[in-house]
Amino acid sequence: MDAIGKVTASIASATQETTIALANANFDMSLIRIEAPAEYKPLGMALSKSKRNVAEDGPAHVTARRLGSLFQSMLPETPNLIKAYGIRASEIAQSPVVNPKGTDAHGPFKDYVGVDGTSIWAAATSGSAAIAAHLLACFIATYWPADEATAIWVELVAERKRRLQAKAAPAEYFDLSDTLSTKLELDQTHLANWDASARSWLRAAGDSPAVSARQKTVRSILDRLNITVRGQQDLYTSVIEA
């Protein structure tokens, strides 16, 4: 019986390794673009062509897809939040104050004028988990400077991969998407750019006449509440719970 168990475990391990190898060779989830939710489409239309191209086919899209894939299996369903955020983001992007259009007067920089909604549109065309990753980027960018925020992202990604690898290692049956996610590259440059785009969006959103008054009211309420990231030594657990 012991020999049979060893053979079974060996076959399971070989099957897992073969499946992962074939998937990695033939399929990169980062290249897939999905239809954005209807609430986000006005945002996409309001972006400059260059920003939309980067969000749909460039590095920002790769990062959005990979972050979404990495955290997808642990996220709750939040359709109302996703919908409400799309409506608000589109409202902001359509404001000429926040998102001016490039003209011939801008010369070669014409197509680069306007709000940086790259990370949002990249997320919207990558699925709800990627939108959650964008919202987390906004959350982190609000409270930490760029260098610390990037360091937090690096640690979050490394710890998430470690936990998924530990979960899959002894299992005869495993979640293929989770296992593949641990193989996707997300280096410091990816994460720094992800943070920078979210940071730029937050600055623009704060200047929007459509939301500035409401934002001040919400912030005054939040400032009176005792809501903090738990002071645990484990950064991953603290941030994910928050």
Side-chain angles (χ1 to χ4, degrees):
M1 293 295 292
D2 184 55
I4 294 174
K6 289 180 178 178
V7 170
T8 303
S10 177
I11 292 172
S13 176
T15 301
Q16 178 173 338
E17 291 175 3
T18 301
T19 303
I20 294 171
L22 288 173
N24 279 333
N26 295 292
F27 179 62
D28 184 351
M29 292 179 290
S30 308
L31 303 178
I32 293 179
R33 186 172 76 234
I34 66 173
E35 185 79 9
E39 296 78 18
Y40 291 81
K41 289 184 177 179
L43 164 71
M45 295 299 296
L47 297 180
S48 68
K49 182 179 179 181
S50 63
K51 291 184 175 67
R52 193 163 58 248
N53 287 341
V54 170
E56 293 177 353
D57 300 306
H61 189 81
V62 171
T63 302
R65 285 288 303 177
R66 292 181 180 181
L67 285 173
S69 175
L70 192 61
F71 290 97
Q72 182 170 6
S73 62
M74 67 177 293
L75 295 172
E77 295 291 330
T78 56
N80 292 334
L81 172 62
I82 298 298
K83 180 178 180 179
Y85 185 60
I87 294 171
R88 179 60 54 82
S90 291
E91 179 184 17
I92 293 170
Q94 290 175 303
S95 167
V97 175
V98 175
N99 190 23
K101 301 300 180 185
T103 66
D104 291 339
H106 293 101
F109 301 102
K110 175 181 178 180
D111 203 35
Y112 296 89
V113 174
V115 68
D116 183 359
T118 306
S119 62
I120 306 180
W121 188 242
T125 55
S126 298
S128 59
I131 296 174
H134 163 75
L135 286 168
L136 178 57
C138 291
F139 173 81
I140 292 173
T142 299
Y143 293 102
W144 284 278
D147 56 344
E148 293 182 31
T150 301
I152 289 171
W153 272 111
V154 170
E155 185 168 342
L156 286 175
V157 168
E159 178 62 16
R160 178 62 177 163
K161 286 185 175 183
R162 188 194 67 77
R163 295 191 181 204
L164 288 177
Q165 288 167 344
K167 180 181 177 182
E172 180 177 350
Y173 300 101
F174 58 95
D175 188 302
L176 179 59
S177 61
D178 274 351
T179 305
L180 284 177
S181 296
T182 66
K183 309 297 180 182
L184 298 175
E185 180 185 359
L186 277 165
D187 61 25
Q188 187 169 341
T189 300
H190 286 110
L191 299 172
N193 290 337
W194 185 248
D195 171 74
S197 180
R199 202 170 290 273
S200 178
W201 169 256
L202 286 173
R203 287 194 295 269
D207 294 335
S208 170
V211 300
S212 57
R214 284 174 288 184
Q215 185 168 315
K216 288 179 181 177
T217 301
V218 171
R219 281 196 173 277
S220 68
I221 294 172
L222 293 177
D223 287 342
R224 294 196 295 267
L225 299 177
N226 184 24
I227 301 176
T228 60
V229 175
R230 291 188 181 182
Q232 302 178 17
Q233 291 184 349
D234 181 357
L235 180 144
Y236 175 86
T237 302
S238 296
V239 173
I240 293 302
E241 284 188 0

